Amino acid sequence: MKRTKIKDLIATAPEEQTVVVMGWVRTFRNNQFISINDGSTIQNIQAVVELDQLEEGLLKRVTTGACISVTGKLIASPAKGQQVEIKVEQLEILGDSDPEKFPLQPKKHSLEFLREIAHLRPRTNTFGAVMRVRHAMAFAVHQFFNEKGFVYVHTPIITGSDAEGAGAMFRVTTLDAENPPRDEEGKVDHSQDFFEKETNLTVSGQLEGETYALALGDIYTFGPTFRAENSNTTRHLAEFWMIEPEMAFYDNNDNMDLAQEMLQYLMKYALEHCKEDLAFLDKRASDEEMTKPQAQRSELGLLDRIKFIIENDFQRLSYTEAIDILKNSNPNKKKKFKYIIEEWGTDLQSEHERFLVEKHFKKPVILYNYPKEIKAFYMRQNEDGKTVGAMDVLFPGIGEIIGGSQREERYDKLLTRIKEMGLPEDELKWYIELRKFGSAPHSGFGLGFERLILFVTGMTNIRDVIPFPRFPGHAEY
Ligand code: ATP
Ligand code: MN
């Protein structure tokens, strides 16, 4: 007989039909009640064995963590909180789990502890829920773009360009690390390397993405990106997934419209399709909030925060307006910020972004028109000569969730900026050339997938929303 997933069983009318369930034992009470989870849902199913039904040796092997297969009748459950249960007829151990050694006991474990056993943590309610939501969000991203007629483009993971401009890169090489070939000057000779040049892992698919937008119209990428930035924060990973739409004929306003529409679509999708997991995560997040001092607790619960995003327009604000607000803000005047805002032109820190979102506007904010000095070379220069058509979407609890811009489509302006910034012109030749042959206004942005998952799941550390996190000093598994 084929096994049925627990998700389907609990939605089935119990008619004493014979069913097979396979999964992992969460608890076994009174030598009678086995709680089984198979990952298809956060809910467990209860399998009931009669006293003396199973031989002693078999019973002893029904331990927390063991994998079992149960065959029995699906009946209405007399117990509270569940519709159905299984009256066991046959029980088979598929994989033993020594209860003395299995690290996941049926009690609350800290997230720090679970991070050390990343191969077992998906067996917990929290990680099961987070990863099912992560899946749903990935699916919804593709559905959103597909409905809008965007083409999914696979940009390279190994890039030949080291001027993507988004962060420090990881070198890719097959040269002997102990004894690399060297040229006359004693420098490592990459002409003898696999690609006969220096290559790196991509920090962004944007530049390549633009080439496809200027041919197919609306495109997006969704793939892994790598940044060798030594930032040990709860919002940075060395390997993360990014969604990067790029659209021909969009100006920066269209760009902001799309960013808001997409985020609201994804939030709606989560509310509709991840009800049980989100209900669990909502409770988990509010329990965690209660351990914080009153002043640091967020005013809304997880589900309310998600609804809030769906129901409210994001506040759009120029960088210049933001600086005025920040300069005159209480934390700035009272020197409560770590970085005091003194003049126009300074880069905003996460504390400033969070002040605008969480304290001042109390809603998501889109900041646009940043000083060109603090933004990348490819952003479109505004008439004022000082700012570029950038836009960052800032979310409560997260800070920057999206970074994007209208791109500089004018050949001369782009070339001048590249020279001013001393960037390698010949490496960017193809990118500059796009502006020579049928250039067009276009825009795009990057959404950090894990930052999205942080927001939707209410988790607080980015290392807990990706299966195997990579960050400085950590590349286990
Ligand atoms: P931050 O200032 O937070 O480091 P950034 O300005 O470097 O972000 P972009 O280069 O604009 O970010 O990247 C686009 C998006 O990718 C960001 O808005 C964010 O959601 C996400 N992102 C950037 N760096 C990381 C990282 N190290 N880990 C996870 N997500 C990231
Ligand atoms: Mn960064």
PDB file of all heavy atoms in Angstrom, residues 165-167 203 227 229 231 235-242 353 375 378 392-393 400-404 445-451 462, ligand 1:
ATOM      1  N   GLY A 165      29.900  45.931  -8.684  1.00  0.00           N
ATOM      2  CA  GLY A 165      29.666  47.109  -7.852  1.00  0.00           C
ATOM      3  C   GLY A 165      28.792  46.895  -6.642  1.00  0.00           C
ATOM      4  O   GLY A 165      28.332  47.842  -6.033  1.00  0.00           O
ATOM      5  N   ALA A 166      28.546  45.645  -6.261  1.00  0.00           N
ATOM      6  CA  ALA A 166      27.626  45.439  -5.143  1.00  0.00           C
ATOM      7  C   ALA A 166      28.301  44.880  -3.894  1.00  0.00           C
ATOM      8  O   ALA A 166      27.647  44.704  -2.882  1.00  0.00           O
ATOM      9  CB  ALA A 166      26.488  44.538  -5.570  1.00  0.00           C
ATOM     10  N   GLY A 167      29.585  44.598  -3.960  1.00  0.00           N
ATOM     11  CA  GLY A 167      30.237  44.105  -2.745  1.00  0.00           C
ATOM     12  C   GLY A 167      31.480  43.296  -3.051  1.00  0.00           C
ATOM     13  O   GLY A 167      31.782  43.015  -4.215  1.00  0.00           O
ATOM     14  N   VAL A 203      27.994  38.794  -7.467  1.00  0.00           N
ATOM     15  CA  VAL A 203      27.359  39.510  -6.355  1.00  0.00           C
ATOM     16  C   VAL A 203      25.988  40.040  -6.763  1.00  0.00           C
ATOM     17  O   VAL A 203      25.235  40.527  -5.934  1.00  0.00           O
ATOM     18  CB  VAL A 203      28.220  40.688  -5.836  1.00  0.00           C
ATOM     19  CG1 VAL A 203      29.499  40.184  -5.182  1.00  0.00           C
ATOM     20  CG2 VAL A 203      28.559  41.659  -6.962  1.00  0.00           C
ATOM     21  N   ARG A 227      28.584  37.320  -1.390  1.00  0.00           N
ATOM     22  CA  ARG A 227      29.314  38.539  -1.030  1.00  0.00           C
ATOM     23  C   ARG A 227      30.280  38.234   0.098  1.00  0.00           C
ATOM     24  O   ARG A 227      29.879  37.744   1.143  1.00  0.00           O
ATOM     25  CB  ARG A 227      28.349  39.650  -0.640  1.00  0.00           C
ATOM     26  CG  ARG A 227      27.516  40.063  -1.838  1.00  0.00           C
ATOM     27  CD  ARG A 227      26.693  41.298  -1.605  1.00  0.00           C
ATOM     28  NE  ARG A 227      25.818  41.517  -2.763  1.00  0.00           N
ATOM     29  CZ  ARG A 227      24.940  42.483  -2.846  1.00  0.00           C
ATOM     30  NH1 ARG A 227      24.806  43.340  -1.856  1.00  0.00           N
ATOM     31  NH2 ARG A 227      24.194  42.603  -3.921  1.00  0.00           N
ATOM     32  N   GLU A 229      31.513  39.904   2.236  1.00  0.00           N
ATOM     33  CA  GLU A 229      31.576  41.039   3.159  1.00  0.00           C
ATOM     34  C   GLU A 229      31.643  40.501   4.577  1.00  0.00           C
ATOM     35  O   GLU A 229      30.940  39.559   4.934  1.00  0.00           O
ATOM     36  CB  GLU A 229      30.389  41.985   2.972  1.00  0.00           C
ATOM     37  CG  GLU A 229      29.037  41.310   2.883  1.00  0.00           C
ATOM     38  CD  GLU A 229      27.951  42.246   2.365  1.00  0.00           C
ATOM     39  OE1 GLU A 229      28.268  43.361   1.938  1.00  0.00           O
ATOM     40  OE2 GLU A 229      26.785  41.848   2.408  1.00  0.00           O
ATOM     41  N   SER A 231      30.434  41.079   7.299  1.00  0.00           N
ATOM     42  CA  SER A 231      29.463  41.687   8.211  1.00  0.00           C
ATOM     43  C   SER A 231      28.720  40.609   8.978  1.00  0.00           C
ATOM     44  O   SER A 231      27.922  39.868   8.423  1.00  0.00           O
ATOM     45  CB  SER A 231      28.496  42.597   7.457  1.00  0.00           C
ATOM     46  OG  SER A 231      28.263  42.123   6.165  1.00  0.00           O
ATOM     47  N   ARG A 235      21.351  40.319   9.421  1.00  0.00           N
ATOM     48  CA  ARG A 235      20.737  40.589   8.114  1.00  0.00           C
ATOM     49  C   ARG A 235      21.631  40.301   6.927  1.00  0.00           C
ATOM     50  O   ARG A 235      21.250  40.556   5.792  1.00  0.00           O
ATOM     51  CB  ARG A 235      20.330  42.063   8.042  1.00  0.00           C
ATOM     52  CG  ARG A 235      19.150  42.338   8.881  1.00  0.00           C
ATOM     53  CD  ARG A 235      18.818  43.801   9.024  1.00  0.00           C
ATOM     54  NE  ARG A 235      17.734  43.873   9.970  1.00  0.00           N
ATOM     55  CZ  ARG A 235      17.905  43.734  11.279  1.00  0.00           C
ATOM     56  NH1 ARG A 235      19.100  43.602  11.779  1.00  0.00           N
ATOM     57  NH2 ARG A 235      16.859  43.756  12.085  1.00  0.00           N
ATOM     58  N   HIS A 236      22.834  39.809   7.171  1.00  0.00           N
ATOM     59  CA  HIS A 236      23.759  39.543   6.075  1.00  0.00           C
ATOM     60  C   HIS A 236      24.212  38.090   6.056  1.00  0.00           C
ATOM     61  O   HIS A 236      24.559  37.531   7.094  1.00  0.00           O
ATOM     62  CB  HIS A 236      24.997  40.439   6.184  1.00  0.00           C
ATOM     63  CG  HIS A 236      24.730  41.880   5.884  1.00  0.00           C
ATOM     64  ND1 HIS A 236      24.353  42.770   6.854  1.00  0.00           N
ATOM     65  CD2 HIS A 236      24.780  42.575   4.715  1.00  0.00           C
ATOM     66  CE1 HIS A 236      24.182  43.965   6.299  1.00  0.00           C
ATOM     67  NE2 HIS A 236      24.430  43.873   4.999  1.00  0.00           N
ATOM     68  N   LEU A 237      24.239  37.537   4.855  1.00  0.00           N
ATOM     69  CA  LEU A 237      24.810  36.211   4.635  1.00  0.00           C
ATOM     70  C   LEU A 237      25.895  36.350   3.571  1.00  0.00           C
ATOM     71  O   LEU A 237      25.868  37.291   2.772  1.00  0.00           O
ATOM     72  CB  LEU A 237      23.739  35.240   4.131  1.00  0.00           C
ATOM     73  CG  LEU A 237      22.669  34.818   5.131  1.00  0.00           C
ATOM     74  CD1 LEU A 237      21.488  34.187   4.400  1.00  0.00           C
ATOM     75  CD2 LEU A 237      23.246  33.838   6.151  1.00  0.00           C
ATOM     76  N   ALA A 238      26.814  35.408   3.529  1.00  0.00           N
ATOM     77  CA  ALA A 238      27.828  35.426   2.473  1.00  0.00           C
ATOM     78  C   ALA A 238      27.263  34.801   1.202  1.00  0.00           C
ATOM     79  O   ALA A 238      27.716  35.068   0.100  1.00  0.00           O
ATOM     80  CB  ALA A 238      29.079  34.683   2.929  1.00  0.00           C
ATOM     81  N   GLU A 239      26.258  33.933   1.372  1.00  0.00           N
ATOM     82  CA  GLU A 239      25.567  33.320   0.234  1.00  0.00           C
ATOM     83  C   GLU A 239      24.080  33.520   0.460  1.00  0.00           C
ATOM     84  O   GLU A 239      23.544  33.059   1.461  1.00  0.00           O
ATOM     85  CB  GLU A 239      25.910  31.820   0.188  1.00  0.00           C
ATOM     86  CG  GLU A 239      25.179  31.052  -0.886  1.00  0.00           C
ATOM     87  CD  GLU A 239      25.561  29.572  -0.893  1.00  0.00           C
ATOM     88  OE1 GLU A 239      26.759  29.259  -1.018  1.00  0.00           O
ATOM     89  OE2 GLU A 239      24.666  28.733  -0.747  1.00  0.00           O
ATOM     90  N   PHE A 240      23.451  34.258  -0.439  1.00  0.00           N
ATOM     91  CA  PHE A 240      22.011  34.483  -0.283  1.00  0.00           C
ATOM     92  C   PHE A 240      21.355  34.475  -1.651  1.00  0.00           C
ATOM     93  O   PHE A 240      22.031  34.458  -2.676  1.00  0.00           O
ATOM     94  CB  PHE A 240      21.733  35.796   0.464  1.00  0.00           C
ATOM     95  CG  PHE A 240      22.191  37.044  -0.249  1.00  0.00           C
ATOM     96  CD1 PHE A 240      21.282  37.822  -0.971  1.00  0.00           C
ATOM     97  CD2 PHE A 240      23.504  37.453  -0.198  1.00  0.00           C
ATOM     98  CE1 PHE A 240      21.692  38.980  -1.630  1.00  0.00           C
ATOM     99  CE2 PHE A 240      23.923  38.603  -0.860  1.00  0.00           C
ATOM    100  CZ  PHE A 240      23.025  39.368  -1.572  1.00  0.00           C
ATOM    101  N   TRP A 241      20.044  34.460  -1.661  1.00  0.00           N
ATOM    102  CA  TRP A 241      19.302  34.380  -2.925  1.00  0.00           C
ATOM    103  C   TRP A 241      18.675  35.725  -3.218  1.00  0.00           C
ATOM    104  O   TRP A 241      18.167  36.398  -2.323  1.00  0.00           O
ATOM    105  CB  TRP A 241      18.236  33.276  -2.854  1.00  0.00           C
ATOM    106  CG  TRP A 241      18.862  31.919  -2.872  1.00  0.00           C
ATOM    107  CD1 TRP A 241      19.661  31.390  -1.903  1.00  0.00           C
ATOM    108  CD2 TRP A 241      18.806  30.956  -3.927  1.00  0.00           C
ATOM    109  NE1 TRP A 241      20.100  30.142  -2.291  1.00  0.00           N
ATOM    110  CE2 TRP A 241      19.589  29.852  -3.528  1.00  0.00           C
ATOM    111  CE3 TRP A 241      18.159  30.911  -5.165  1.00  0.00           C
ATOM    112  CZ2 TRP A 241      19.743  28.716  -4.319  1.00  0.00           C
ATOM    113  CZ3 TRP A 241      18.311  29.785  -5.959  1.00  0.00           C
ATOM    114  CH2 TRP A 241      19.101  28.701  -5.530  1.00  0.00           C
ATOM    115  N   MET A 242      18.759  36.112  -4.475  1.00  0.00           N
ATOM    116  CA  MET A 242      18.245  37.426  -4.822  1.00  0.00           C
ATOM    117  C   MET A 242      17.325  37.321  -6.033  1.00  0.00           C
ATOM    118  O   MET A 242      17.539  36.520  -6.939  1.00  0.00           O
ATOM    119  CB  MET A 242      19.396  38.388  -5.096  1.00  0.00           C
ATOM    120  CG  MET A 242      18.943  39.814  -5.240  1.00  0.00           C
ATOM    121  SD  MET A 242      20.137  41.034  -4.672  1.00  0.00           S
ATOM    122  CE  MET A 242      21.496  40.744  -5.765  1.00  0.00           C
ATOM    123  N   GLU A 353      17.343  54.227   8.913  1.00  0.00           N
ATOM    124  CA  GLU A 353      16.265  53.641   8.121  1.00  0.00           C
ATOM    125  C   GLU A 353      15.150  53.149   9.036  1.00  0.00           C
ATOM    126  O   GLU A 353      13.970  53.376   8.786  1.00  0.00           O
ATOM    127  CB  GLU A 353      16.811  52.478   7.286  1.00  0.00           C
ATOM    128  CG  GLU A 353      17.882  52.924   6.286  1.00  0.00           C
ATOM    129  CD  GLU A 353      18.552  51.766   5.534  1.00  0.00           C
ATOM    130  OE1 GLU A 353      18.434  50.599   5.956  1.00  0.00           O
ATOM    131  OE2 GLU A 353      19.205  52.043   4.531  1.00  0.00           O
ATOM    132  N   LYS A 375      26.096  55.990  -4.319  1.00  0.00           N
ATOM    133  CA  LYS A 375      25.409  54.934  -5.066  1.00  0.00           C
ATOM    134  C   LYS A 375      26.252  54.445  -6.246  1.00  0.00           C
ATOM    135  O   LYS A 375      27.262  55.054  -6.600  1.00  0.00           O
ATOM    136  CB  LYS A 375      24.049  55.447  -5.549  1.00  0.00           C
ATOM    137  CG  LYS A 375      23.024  55.586  -4.408  1.00  0.00           C
ATOM    138  CD  LYS A 375      22.591  54.226  -3.882  1.00  0.00           C
ATOM    139  CE  LYS A 375      21.566  54.297  -2.771  1.00  0.00           C
ATOM    140  NZ  LYS A 375      21.252  53.011  -2.172  1.00  0.00           N
ATOM    141  N   TYR A 378      26.026  52.800 -12.216  1.00  0.00           N
ATOM    142  CA  TYR A 378      25.057  52.587 -13.296  1.00  0.00           C
ATOM    143  C   TYR A 378      23.722  53.290 -13.065  1.00  0.00           C
ATOM    144  O   TYR A 378      22.803  53.185 -13.855  1.00  0.00           O
ATOM    145  CB  TYR A 378      24.809  51.080 -13.482  1.00  0.00           C
ATOM    146  CG  TYR A 378      24.515  50.359 -12.185  1.00  0.00           C
ATOM    147  CD1 TYR A 378      23.301  50.536 -11.540  1.00  0.00           C
ATOM    148  CD2 TYR A 378      25.462  49.525 -11.595  1.00  0.00           C
ATOM    149  CE1 TYR A 378      23.022  49.908 -10.345  1.00  0.00           C
ATOM    150  CE2 TYR A 378      25.195  48.879 -10.397  1.00  0.00           C
ATOM    151  CZ  TYR A 378      23.984  49.074  -9.784  1.00  0.00           C
ATOM    152  OH  TYR A 378      23.712  48.454  -8.600  1.00  0.00           O
ATOM    153  N   ASP A 392      15.302  52.661  -2.566  1.00  0.00           N
ATOM    154  CA  ASP A 392      15.441  51.559  -1.608  1.00  0.00           C
ATOM    155  C   ASP A 392      14.121  51.388  -0.885  1.00  0.00           C
ATOM    156  O   ASP A 392      13.528  52.365  -0.447  1.00  0.00           O
ATOM    157  CB  ASP A 392      16.521  51.874  -0.558  1.00  0.00           C
ATOM    158  CG  ASP A 392      17.938  51.679  -1.087  1.00  0.00           C
ATOM    159  OD1 ASP A 392      18.094  51.371  -2.288  1.00  0.00           O
ATOM    160  OD2 ASP A 392      18.880  51.839  -0.295  1.00  0.00           O
ATOM    161  N   VAL A 393      13.671  50.150  -0.748  1.00  0.00           N
ATOM    162  CA  VAL A 393      12.464  49.896   0.038  1.00  0.00           C
ATOM    163  C   VAL A 393      12.886  49.459   1.434  1.00  0.00           C
ATOM    164  O   VAL A 393      13.680  48.523   1.589  1.00  0.00           O
ATOM    165  CB  VAL A 393      11.581  48.810  -0.598  1.00  0.00           C
ATOM    166  CG1 VAL A 393      10.316  48.596   0.228  1.00  0.00           C
ATOM    167  CG2 VAL A 393      11.229  49.164  -2.039  1.00  0.00           C
ATOM    168  N   GLU A 400      16.627  47.747   4.921  1.00  0.00           N
ATOM    169  CA  GLU A 400      16.547  47.627   3.463  1.00  0.00           C
ATOM    170  C   GLU A 400      16.171  46.213   3.047  1.00  0.00           C
ATOM    171  O   GLU A 400      16.851  45.249   3.370  1.00  0.00           O
ATOM    172  CB  GLU A 400      17.892  48.013   2.833  1.00  0.00           C
ATOM    173  CG  GLU A 400      17.855  47.919   1.323  1.00  0.00           C
ATOM    174  CD  GLU A 400      19.214  48.144   0.667  1.00  0.00           C
ATOM    175  OE1 GLU A 400      20.030  48.910   1.195  1.00  0.00           O
ATOM    176  OE2 GLU A 400      19.443  47.527  -0.395  1.00  0.00           O
ATOM    177  N   ILE A 401      15.078  46.113   2.293  1.00  0.00           N
ATOM    178  CA  ILE A 401      14.675  44.800   1.774  1.00  0.00           C
ATOM    179  C   ILE A 401      14.874  44.775   0.263  1.00  0.00           C
ATOM    180  O   ILE A 401      15.146  43.734  -0.322  1.00  0.00           O
ATOM    181  CB  ILE A 401      13.216  44.473   2.190  1.00  0.00           C
ATOM    182  CG1 ILE A 401      12.879  43.000   1.933  1.00  0.00           C
ATOM    183  CG2 ILE A 401      12.213  45.377   1.500  1.00  0.00           C
ATOM    184  CD1 ILE A 401      11.618  42.530   2.658  1.00  0.00           C
ATOM    185  N   ILE A 402      14.776  45.961  -0.362  1.00  0.00           N
ATOM    186  CA  ILE A 402      14.985  46.092  -1.809  1.00  0.00           C
ATOM    187  C   ILE A 402      15.919  47.270  -2.079  1.00  0.00           C
ATOM    188  O   ILE A 402      15.804  48.310  -1.437  1.00  0.00           O
ATOM    189  CB  ILE A 402      13.637  46.342  -2.536  1.00  0.00           C
ATOM    190  CG1 ILE A 402      12.864  45.025  -2.711  1.00  0.00           C
ATOM    191  CG2 ILE A 402      13.840  47.028  -3.887  1.00  0.00           C
ATOM    192  CD1 ILE A 402      11.518  45.192  -3.400  1.00  0.00           C
ATOM    193  N   GLY A 403      16.830  47.074  -3.029  1.00  0.00           N
ATOM    194  CA  GLY A 403      17.638  48.185  -3.529  1.00  0.00           C
ATOM    195  C   GLY A 403      17.529  48.209  -5.038  1.00  0.00           C
ATOM    196  O   GLY A 403      17.662  47.166  -5.679  1.00  0.00           O
ATOM    197  N   GLY A 404      17.248  49.365  -5.613  1.00  0.00           N
ATOM    198  CA  GLY A 404      17.104  49.395  -7.065  1.00  0.00           C
ATOM    199  C   GLY A 404      17.330  50.786  -7.625  1.00  0.00           C
ATOM    200  O   GLY A 404      17.672  51.711  -6.892  1.00  0.00           O
ATOM    201  N   PHE A 445      15.411  46.264  -9.835  1.00  0.00           N
ATOM    202  CA  PHE A 445      15.783  46.244  -8.408  1.00  0.00           C
ATOM    203  C   PHE A 445      16.154  44.843  -7.969  1.00  0.00           C
ATOM    204  O   PHE A 445      15.940  43.860  -8.697  1.00  0.00           O
ATOM    205  CB  PHE A 445      14.654  46.813  -7.539  1.00  0.00           C
ATOM    206  CG  PHE A 445      13.331  46.080  -7.611  1.00  0.00           C
ATOM    207  CD1 PHE A 445      13.115  44.908  -6.876  1.00  0.00           C
ATOM    208  CD2 PHE A 445      12.280  46.565  -8.384  1.00  0.00           C
ATOM    209  CE1 PHE A 445      11.888  44.249  -6.918  1.00  0.00           C
ATOM    210  CE2 PHE A 445      11.048  45.911  -8.437  1.00  0.00           C
ATOM    211  CZ  PHE A 445      10.857  44.747  -7.697  1.00  0.00           C
ATOM    212  N   GLY A 446      16.746  44.766  -6.785  1.00  0.00           N
ATOM    213  CA  GLY A 446      17.088  43.469  -6.197  1.00  0.00           C
ATOM    214  C   GLY A 446      16.370  43.301  -4.872  1.00  0.00           C
ATOM    215  O   GLY A 446      16.422  44.184  -4.010  1.00  0.00           O
ATOM    216  N   LEU A 447      15.658  42.188  -4.754  1.00  0.00           N
ATOM    217  CA  LEU A 447      14.992  41.863  -3.488  1.00  0.00           C
ATOM    218  C   LEU A 447      15.756  40.709  -2.844  1.00  0.00           C
ATOM    219  O   LEU A 447      15.931  39.650  -3.454  1.00  0.00           O
ATOM    220  CB  LEU A 447      13.539  41.433  -3.754  1.00  0.00           C
ATOM    221  CG  LEU A 447      12.788  40.717  -2.619  1.00  0.00           C
ATOM    222  CD1 LEU A 447      12.588  41.628  -1.420  1.00  0.00           C
ATOM    223  CD2 LEU A 447      11.437  40.200  -3.113  1.00  0.00           C
ATOM    224  N   GLY A 448      16.246  40.925  -1.639  1.00  0.00           N
ATOM    225  CA  GLY A 448      16.944  39.860  -0.916  1.00  0.00           C
ATOM    226  C   GLY A 448      15.926  38.844  -0.432  1.00  0.00           C
ATOM    227  O   GLY A 448      15.081  39.162   0.405  1.00  0.00           O
ATOM    228  N   PHE A 449      16.014  37.624  -0.969  1.00  0.00           N
ATOM    229  CA  PHE A 449      14.978  36.622  -0.661  1.00  0.00           C
ATOM    230  C   PHE A 449      14.937  36.317   0.834  1.00  0.00           C
ATOM    231  O   PHE A 449      13.864  36.224   1.432  1.00  0.00           O
ATOM    232  CB  PHE A 449      15.246  35.346  -1.476  1.00  0.00           C
ATOM    233  CG  PHE A 449      14.143  34.333  -1.397  1.00  0.00           C
ATOM    234  CD1 PHE A 449      12.838  34.678  -1.681  1.00  0.00           C
ATOM    235  CD2 PHE A 449      14.419  33.005  -1.057  1.00  0.00           C
ATOM    236  CE1 PHE A 449      11.806  33.741  -1.613  1.00  0.00           C
ATOM    237  CE2 PHE A 449      13.398  32.061  -0.988  1.00  0.00           C
ATOM    238  CZ  PHE A 449      12.097  32.432  -1.260  1.00  0.00           C
ATOM    239  N   GLU A 450      16.082  36.167   1.464  1.00  0.00           N
ATOM    240  CA  GLU A 450      16.091  35.833   2.900  1.00  0.00           C
ATOM    241  C   GLU A 450      15.549  36.975   3.753  1.00  0.00           C
ATOM    242  O   GLU A 450      14.975  36.735   4.806  1.00  0.00           O
ATOM    243  CB  GLU A 450      17.499  35.458   3.373  1.00  0.00           C
ATOM    244  CG  GLU A 450      17.940  34.063   2.935  1.00  0.00           C
ATOM    245  CD  GLU A 450      18.292  33.984   1.462  1.00  0.00           C
ATOM    246  OE1 GLU A 450      18.570  35.044   0.853  1.00  0.00           O
ATOM    247  OE2 GLU A 450      18.278  32.858   0.912  1.00  0.00           O
ATOM    248  N   ARG A 451      15.752  38.231   3.300  1.00  0.00           N
ATOM    249  CA  ARG A 451      15.180  39.338   4.085  1.00  0.00           C
ATOM    250  C   ARG A 451      13.657  39.294   3.991  1.00  0.00           C
ATOM    251  O   ARG A 451      12.952  39.575   4.962  1.00  0.00           O
ATOM    252  CB  ARG A 451      15.741  40.678   3.617  1.00  0.00           C
ATOM    253  CG  ARG A 451      17.234  40.749   3.880  1.00  0.00           C
ATOM    254  CD  ARG A 451      17.739  42.134   4.169  1.00  0.00           C
ATOM    255  NE  ARG A 451      19.195  42.092   4.278  1.00  0.00           N
ATOM    256  CZ  ARG A 451      20.002  43.105   4.043  1.00  0.00           C
ATOM    257  NH1 ARG A 451      19.499  44.283   3.707  1.00  0.00           N
ATOM    258  NH2 ARG A 451      21.306  42.972   4.179  1.00  0.00           N
ATOM    259  N   ILE A 462      18.850  36.105  10.118  1.00  0.00           N
ATOM    260  CA  ILE A 462      18.838  35.624   8.734  1.00  0.00           C
ATOM    261  C   ILE A 462      19.416  34.212   8.619  1.00  0.00           C
ATOM    262  O   ILE A 462      19.108  33.478   7.689  1.00  0.00           O
ATOM    263  CB  ILE A 462      19.562  36.643   7.812  1.00  0.00           C
ATOM    264  CG1 ILE A 462      19.175  36.447   6.350  1.00  0.00           C
ATOM    265  CG2 ILE A 462      21.076  36.599   8.025  1.00  0.00           C
ATOM    266  CD1 ILE A 462      19.482  37.634   5.451  1.00  0.00           C
TER     267      ILE A 462
HETATM  268  P1  ATP B   1      22.890  46.374   2.845  1.00  0.00           P
HETATM  269  O1  ATP B   1      23.122  47.855   2.851  1.00  0.00           O
HETATM  270  O2  ATP B   1      21.779  45.930   3.738  1.00  0.00           O
HETATM  271  O3  ATP B   1      24.149  45.590   2.997  1.00  0.00           O
HETATM  272  P2  ATP B   1      23.098  46.483  -0.003  1.00  0.00           P
HETATM  273  O4  ATP B   1      22.901  47.943  -0.217  1.00  0.00           O
HETATM  274  O5  ATP B   1      24.454  45.916  -0.035  1.00  0.00           O
HETATM  275  O6  ATP B   1      22.360  46.049   1.373  1.00  0.00           O
HETATM  276  P3  ATP B   1      22.063  45.678  -2.589  1.00  0.00           P
HETATM  277  O7  ATP B   1      23.423  45.536  -3.146  1.00  0.00           O
HETATM  278  O8  ATP B   1      21.201  46.775  -3.049  1.00  0.00           O
HETATM  279  O9  ATP B   1      22.132  45.694  -0.993  1.00  0.00           O
HETATM  280  O10 ATP B   1      21.308  44.265  -2.759  1.00  0.00           O
HETATM  281  C1  ATP B   1      19.915  44.161  -2.985  1.00  0.00           C
HETATM  282  C2  ATP B   1      19.222  43.448  -1.844  1.00  0.00           C
HETATM  283  O11 ATP B   1      19.869  42.221  -1.522  1.00  0.00           O
HETATM  284  C3  ATP B   1      19.210  44.213  -0.541  1.00  0.00           C
HETATM  285  O12 ATP B   1      18.176  45.143  -0.521  1.00  0.00           O
HETATM  286  C4  ATP B   1      19.015  43.119   0.473  1.00  0.00           C
HETATM  287  O13 ATP B   1      17.640  42.752   0.551  1.00  0.00           O
HETATM  288  C5  ATP B   1      19.757  41.960  -0.133  1.00  0.00           C
HETATM  289  N1  ATP B   1      21.103  41.779   0.438  1.00  0.00           N
HETATM  290  C6  ATP B   1      22.201  42.529   0.210  1.00  0.00           C
HETATM  291  N2  ATP B   1      23.279  42.052   0.838  1.00  0.00           N
HETATM  292  C7  ATP B   1      22.855  40.936   1.496  1.00  0.00           C
HETATM  293  C8  ATP B   1      23.506  39.970   2.319  1.00  0.00           C
HETATM  294  N3  ATP B   1      24.810  40.032   2.574  1.00  0.00           N
HETATM  295  N4  ATP B   1      22.759  38.942   2.814  1.00  0.00           N
HETATM  296  C9  ATP B   1      21.444  38.857   2.538  1.00  0.00           C
HETATM  297  N5  ATP B   1      20.774  39.727   1.766  1.00  0.00           N
HETATM  298  C10 ATP B   1      21.465  40.775   1.246  1.00  0.00           C
END
